[in-house]
Amino acid sequence: MTPGPSSVPEEVLLELARPVIHHRSAEAKDVITEVAGGLKEVFQTENDVLILTASGTGAMEAAAVNTVPPGGKALVLNAGHFAARWGDICKAHGINAVMLDTEWGQPVDPAQVAEALKQHPDTVCVMGTLSETSTGTGHPVEAIGKIVAQTPAVFAVDGISGVGAMECRADAWGIDLLCVGSQKALMLPPGLAFVSVSPKAWAKIDAFDAKTFYFSLKAARKKMKEFDTPYTPAHTLILALRTALRRIKEEGMENVWQRHRIMSEACQAGIQALNLELFSSRPAEGLTAFRIPEGLKDGDIRNRLVERFGLTTIGGQGKLKGKIVRIGHMGYTDELDVVAALAALEMVLNDLGYEVEPGAAVTAAQQVQLGRKEVVSSK
Amino acid sequence: MTPGPSSVPEEVLLELARPVIHHRSAEAKDVITEVAGGLKEVFQTENDVLILTASGTGAMEAAAVNTVPPGGKALVLNAGHFAARWGDICKAHGINAVMLDTEWGQPVDPAQVAEALKQHPDTVCVMGTLSETSTGTGHPVEAIGKIVAQTPAVFAVDGISGVGAMECRADAWGIDLLCVGSQKALMLPPGLAFVSVSPKAWAKIDAFDAKTFYFSLKAARKKMKEFDTPYTPAHTLILALRTALRRIKEEGMENVWQRHRIMSEACQAGIQALNLELFSSRPAEGLTAFRIPEGLKDGDIRNRLVERFGLTTIGGQGKLKGKIVRIGHMGYTDELDVVAALAALEMVLNDLGYEVEPGAAVTAAQQVQLGRKEVVSSK
């Protein structure tokens, strides 16, 4: 239960063990055709979702470098380790990044974004995050998108650990470039990245020749019109993606979001029932981060969860190293996984001498789950 | 039997169906540690081989953009569709590419490279190809490497369809940056790319800040020291790579090369016994290209091979479209696969009214195989 790579359904894993087909065959084209449709549904967009063979970071770089010319201005909504990566990408490409800092664990304030855009009317691209994996925070992307939409700037969103785990509507919310990775709520191993591109973004992209080859979105657009990719893609992963997207379609996008919402609320309730402190004031729905209580070490809790229950969670990154534990509940997970993880946490905390009432977290989680309408299991 | 993606051994496919481990775990580090050693053996280098989650083209872009600053000069040994890609990558990044053209199907002449380097003493990087997949030509990389080594330039080689299929010794031959993809002779699905970097190349890379983020070789070097990668890698493919590299180790690198040499010579002999014309005057050892005889169409031969025998080959690319057929024999293939492919070709040609003597190609191939010392089967 890490916030990615997340669990991969068995039927998806088995796809990966199939003999490799040729990536320029009619069969491969059929697969991309179906996948292209499924991705549009997940992204909630009418625009093409381009497929890159890369980590999610590759999709972020593609969004930045194709949209903002060197010397152009970007407004980076800097509220965590991965948001800061937007700034690093800009720096590497000579993009003038204005960093709008928000305390880690707090959501970006849309009013501050509006103010910053007034101060920097020449902003070409606002770069934000749907779900900040390093802090477990969900940002108000809908509200920010509506502000950016009223300006000449485009809105690029790192949805790597968010899309498929929390409600996100690219077109309705004014997200011009939405970047997603395969290894989070899409239930695949890592290796693929996706980016949707709005007409407003294409106008900026078509206005100059970006200094990039492999990540050229123009090249990807041209090939996507034929349901193809410019270079040999990781097409066994694309084949497996088809199966994962069929699962999502069968469950229904709204149901998928609802399942994650309930898992998230249940996990939060459980953590709080143990008198542990949630790290984020606006938790993301694909993971829950809590502060490590005084007297305990990050490693103590996580190692013991692995040793006793084979349960993998993850600690903090960067300045949060040793300060938080993050529990992922995205993709191929359901309410009972959350209950089980909370039960394990209760036992491990007691083992470590941090006394908690056995069942307290589990009960709190169940109460959340009982209060919500039934959601079809993902398994 | 295409020149990539090539067949993947069953035991490697099954690795891909294993549940996903976390990419920052001790287990993942152990896998990268073992893989790092195996890649050094395959590349015949003492230098680190960096792992990128990308197509082979990503490794080529990484080699180019990290080594040659914008405005710097590159000498592109342009002898085919993929060699020309070096030029396209340079163009995208404002690198001044001097194109040294060689007729498609002919090997690059080392004397011409020496002459060009005299004319362009400010060349930062010579960009060549070990096995040009579009023409089935093996280039004299050893001889070229020895010439480049005497100049201040570095030698970057696209070994995507060559390394693991034909003898290639990065260090001994003076190859400073050797780029390889996973889906060729390394017997994996596509999705990973590798690049080895010599100290001579690092000196150029360390001399400036390349305008790239995801493909930063400095970032990859830093993480590789801890047997890690800068961004979430396609680590199920890395896990499978371990199994593929174990196979290569077990067979022995020299034996692997010898097996490909025999498959290549046998395939050439068979093609010629059918009075078909080899396309290349210096065939690569991982694939064989022949000209389509007058009166037949590319599609006729290849479609019939698929329909009657389920055997996939591939046609020409770019200006060779419709003019050649390419048969791959790299990675998880052995002498009998070549014999079977030639038998299928004989039957299909006769079906299509192009009369050939049944058994002629097969016999010619067997004679080559009988004349060489026994090679351990790859299966």
Side-chain angles (χ1 to χ4, degrees), chain B residues 154-230:
Chain B
V154 291
F155 189 24
V157 172
D158 161 5
I160 294 170
S161 74
V163 169
M166 46 199 290
E167 187 176 352
C168 184
R169 302 175 185 273
D171 291 357
W173 293 5
I175 304 171
D176 298 294
L177 299 125
L178 183 55
C179 307
V180 177
S182 56
Q183 76 279 16
K184 309 279 184 176
L186 291 183
M187 304 181 287
L188 287 180
L192 290 179
F194 314 98
V195 57
S196 68
V197 188
S198 74
K200 188 178 176 185
W202 281 123
K204 294 200 189 291
I205 294 167
D206 285 329
F208 74 108
D209 289 327
K211 290 193 185 307
T212 185
F213 185 80
Y214 185 76
F215 288 132
S216 164
L217 293 181
K218 287 177 197 165
R221 170 180 59 184
K222 192 175 161 194
K223 286 291 185 174
M224 196 62 180
K225 294 213 183 301
E226 307 155 16
F227 299 107
D228 200 349
T229 55

Side-chain angles (χ1 to χ4, degrees), chain A residues 112-379:
Chain A
Q112 286 189 10
V113 177
E115 183 53 37
L117 283 171
K118 264 180 215 152
Q119 278 178 35
H120 300 281
D122 55 341
T123 298
V124 180
C125 184
V126 176
M127 300 175 179
T129 315
L130 174 62
S131 162
E132 173 59 56
T133 317
S134 67
T135 66
T137 303
H139 293 292
V141 162
E142 180 177 11
I144 299 167
K146 286 177 178 168
I147 289 163
V148 180
Q150 291 162 28
T151 73
V154 291
F155 189 25
V157 172
D158 162 4
I160 294 170
S161 74
V163 169
M166 45 199 289
E167 186 176 353
C168 183
R169 304 175 185 271
D171 291 357
W173 292 5
I175 303 171
D176 297 295
L177 299 125
L178 183 54
C179 306
V180 178
S182 56
Q183 77 279 17
K184 308 280 184 176
L186 292 183
M187 304 180 286
L188 286 180
L192 290 178
F194 315 98
V195 55
S196 68
V197 187
S198 75
K200 187 178 177 187
W202 281 123
K204 294 200 188 291
I205 293 167
D206 286 329
F208 75 108
D209 290 326
K211 290 194 185 306
T212 185
F213 184 80
Y214 185 77
F215 289 132
S216 164
L217 292 180
K218 287 176 196 164
R221 170 179 60 183
K222 192 175 161 194
K223 286 290 185 173
M224 196 63 179
K225 293 211 183 305
E226 306 154 18
F227 298 107
D228 200 349
T229 55
Y231 319 110
T232 311
H235 63 86
T236 53
L237 285 173
I238 296 178
L239 195 69
L241 174 62
R242 178 173 66 175
T243 302
L245 289 171
R246 283 177 181 171
R247 285 182 70 93
I248 290 174
K249 189 175 181 178
E250 199 182 336
E251 184 175 355
M253 205 63 236
E254 299 274 355
N255 284 328
V256 169
W257 292 333
Q258 178 72 349
R259 173 165 52 83
H260 284 88
R261 213 171 276 132
I262 293 173
M263 288 193 292
S264 170
E265 288 174 15
C267 196
Q268 291 167 43
I271 293 293
Q272 289 176 305
L274 299 177
N275 292 318
L276 295 171
E277 191 187 345
L278 294 173
F279 180 73
S280 176
S281 68
R282 190 179 191 275
E285 285 159 18
L287 72 157
T288 302
F290 65 87
R291 287 185 193 272
I292 294 161
E294 268 191 54
L296 287 185
K297 281 185 192 150
D298 167 31
D300 294 341
I301 300 174
R302 293 193 298 115
N303 291 343
R304 187 108 188 111
L305 281 169
V306 170
E307 285 159 19
R308 184 153 175 191
F309 299 107
L311 184 70
T312 308
T313 56
I314 197 157
Q317 282 173 292
K319 65 184 177 188
L320 291 180
K321 205 162 186 169
K323 295 188 177 161
I324 61 171
V325 169
R326 292 176 291 158
I327 300 172
H329 33 73
M330 60 176 74
Y332 187 46
T333 50
D334 67 12
E335 298 162 89
L336 287 182
D337 292 320
V338 171
V339 167
L342 290 169
L345 184 61
E346 288 173 354
M347 288 186 267
V348 160
L349 288 172
N350 276 312
D351 280 353
L352 294 170
Y354 182 88
E355 283 185 23
V356 297
E357 193 190 332
V362 166
T363 306
Q366 286 174 306
Q367 278 164 349
V368 167
Q369 293 169 0
L370 286 167
R372 306 297 295 245
K373 75 175 170 63
E374 195 187 336
V375 170
V376 179
S377 164
S378 73
K379 284 186 187 162

